[in-house]
Amino acid sequence: MNLALKSPEPRSGILDIAAYVPGKEIAPGLAKVHKLSSNETPLGASPRAIEAFQKAAFNLERYPDGQANALKEAIAAVHGLNAANILCGNGSDELLGLLCQTYLGPGDEGIVTQHGFLVYRIQIAASGGTPVTVSERDERVDVDAIIAAVTERTRIVFIANPGNPTGTYVPVDEVRRLHAALPAGALLVLDAAYAEYVRRNDYEAGLELVSSNRNVVMTRTFSKIYGLAGLRIGWMYAPRDVVEALDRVRGPFNLNAPAIAAGAAAIRDQAFIAEAGDHNQKWLAIVSQALTKIGLRVTPSVTNFVLIHFPAEAGMSAGDADSYLTSRGFILRAVGAYGFPNALRMTIGTKEANEGVVAALTEFMGRK
Ligand SMILES: Cc1ncc(COP(=O)(O)O)c(C=O)c1O
């Protein structure tokens, strides 16, 4: 083998992509940690989902159903949808990538927002397209800024609603206004990964907009409130044309059999999901108020996480807070890559984790 030869070159632009860095998992030297860095539910998965997963272990020699029909039917039944308009993915991440591969190429533009989920930018660039980043206003998606950024090359517009890592949302009227201003050839992607947590009358995940238009899709996930992040299950509700196009591009067996079985069982257990939602609602309010009381600014959140800003003017840095918390077993998420160099994102956890973070941050603030 001649090692002096050059390696094959990735396509132009691939090496310019900054790889996604997931939330930290460990605190060195500590046996017990509270991982509050990836917005996973503290309540785990429904016992029915776990049972279905275990049962699936006895048929692992068989390929899964390439259409994931049992899962699509369960989603369709629970949400009152037509299963033909649903496509499942290996996490919603896969669907976001497939949308870019299918609708974007060199010279095309994809719009993302200033603090938007990083996977959008990565996938737009990986497809050869150009990410166009528009400003947010007060840590909220600014619909007018998006409209102003649309050109004849815009093929896709991504908004996370609610947003990660901000936790803020775009009211349904604003989403409609955005859609009305887009050209028919531009696809509006409503990423509703945290929809199940939102309790606001003026919020809609996007079902109605998808049903009545040909250029809107909504993506959802089983990784958050359903507690199945480890199985990688996402789904998309979309017009038939979009489903059929992505069906040509995706891997033929993109969901594994245990994931299909567990996902179907999980979504049918809505009593469990309601409990997870109630737990979050209660602790989101308690944590937000407690942190505000000790002098930290918290972006008002409708999700299962809060964005905590440290006062730089008082000499407080997110990096110091992160080290302080990590040494006590609380792992939060650094969000510098999202445009928040002096903030941390905290997932709402168990009572013990939430109270522990509040106590540790109270000490941290008191030291200065
Ligand atoms: C806004 C948003 N979209 C999508 C995802 C990806 O979810 P999944 O686990 O389904 O790939 C996440 C996960 O962090 C997210 O925060």
Side-chain angles (χ1 to χ4, degrees):
M1 191 162 52
N2 183 351
L3 290 175
L5 286 176
K6 260 183 87 178
S7 305
E9 290 246 335
R11 269 193 295 112
S12 138
I14 297 291
L15 297 183
D16 299 330
I17 296 173
Y20 185 85
V21 182
K24 277 192 298 186
E25 301 241 339
I26 50 162
L30 293 183
K32 179 165 182 188
V33 294
H34 294 279
K35 183 172 183 282
L36 306 171
S37 59
S38 299
N39 299 339
E40 296 139 333
T41 170
L43 302 188
S46 152
R48 295 188 197 169
I50 295 169
E51 194 187 328
F53 175 84
Q54 286 169 333
K55 243 170 111 183
F58 294 99
N59 294 303
L60 294 182
E61 75 286 3
R62 294 182 58 177
Y63 277 91
D65 168 15
Q67 284 295 331
N69 278 320
L71 180 55
K72 285 183 188 171
E73 280 158 20
I75 295 167
V78 170
H79 285 278
L81 305 174
N82 184 344
N85 293 99
I86 295 172
L87 186 74
C88 297
N90 194 256
S92 51
D93 280 345
E94 185 193 25
L95 297 167
L96 301 172
L98 288 170
L99 287 164
C100 291
Q101 273 182 57
T102 308
Y103 289 98
L104 276 179
D108 296 334
E109 293 174 353
I111 296 182
V112 300
T113 66
Q114 185 184 0
H115 305 297
F117 186 47
L118 290 175
V119 167
Y120 312 149
R121 264 168 250 197
I122 292 174
Q123 293 297 345
I124 291 168
S127 302
T130 306
V132 174
T133 305
V134 307
S135 300
E136 296 195 7
R137 187 191 288 258
D138 300 331
E139 293 142 22
R140 286 165 201 279
V141 167
D142 180 349
V143 162
D144 291 307
I146 297 178
I147 295 171
V150 172
T151 72
E152 72 278 4
R153 291 184 299 280
T154 306
R155 292 283 169 274
I156 201 160
V157 175
F158 283 104
I159 62 169
N161 195 23
N164 168 19
T166 56
T168 59
Y169 73 105
V170 187
V172 62
D173 285 353
E174 284 287 280
V175 179
R176 286 204 194 102
R177 191 163 72 79
L178 168 61
H179 172 259
L182 294 180
L187 188 64
L188 175 61
V189 181
L190 303 172
D191 175 351
Y194 301 95
E196 292 85 357
Y197 288 108
V198 186
R199 298 194 175 179
R200 291 287 188 283
N201 291 334
D202 58 351
Y203 172 79
E204 276 179 28
L207 295 177
E208 200 269 328
L209 260 165
V210 174
S211 300
S212 48
N213 293 285
R214 299 188 72 166
N215 65 338
V216 186
V217 308
M218 174 195 70
T219 58
R220 302 284 282 261
T221 184
F222 282 77
S223 302
K224 308 301 175 186
I225 205 164
Y226 286 97
L228 295 174
L231 285 184
R232 314 302 302 123
I233 313 168
W235 60 281
M236 180 181 82
Y237 178 54
R240 270 303 291 168
D241 293 345
V242 178
V243 171
E244 284 174 12
L246 264 65
D247 252 334
R248 293 162 203 258
V249 179
R250 70 178 173 90
F253 304 104
N254 59 336
L255 268 85
N256 64 72
I260 295 170
I267 201 164
R268 290 188 192 275
D269 191 357
Q270 286 298 314
F272 183 85
I273 297 310
E275 263 178 49
D278 288 348
H279 172 89
N280 187 70
Q281 187 67 12
K282 172 180 162 190
W283 284 101
L284 176 65
I286 295 174
V287 169
S288 302
Q289 280 161 20
L291 295 179
T292 307
K293 213 168 138 196
I294 59 171
L296 290 164
R297 183 168 78 81
V298 176
T299 308
S301 170
V302 295
T303 62
N304 68 329
F305 53 86
V306 283
L307 186 62
I308 309 166
H309 304 264
F310 292 86
E313 63 287 357
M316 307 262 173
S317 86
D320 288 348
D322 196 15
S323 309
Y324 195 83
L325 289 166
T326 302
S327 68
R328 283 155 183 76
F330 301 106
I331 303 182
L332 274 62
R333 179 75 139 106
V335 282
Y338 284 93
F340 293 111
N342 218 30
L344 293 175
R345 191 193 67 196
M346 170 193 172
T347 306
I348 298 300
T350 57
K351 174 180 191 290
E352 184 191 357
N354 299 332
E355 289 177 346
V357 172
V358 168
L361 283 178
T362 305
E363 280 163 29
F364 175 78
M365 294 294 284
R367 285 186 329 155
K368 294 274 171 174

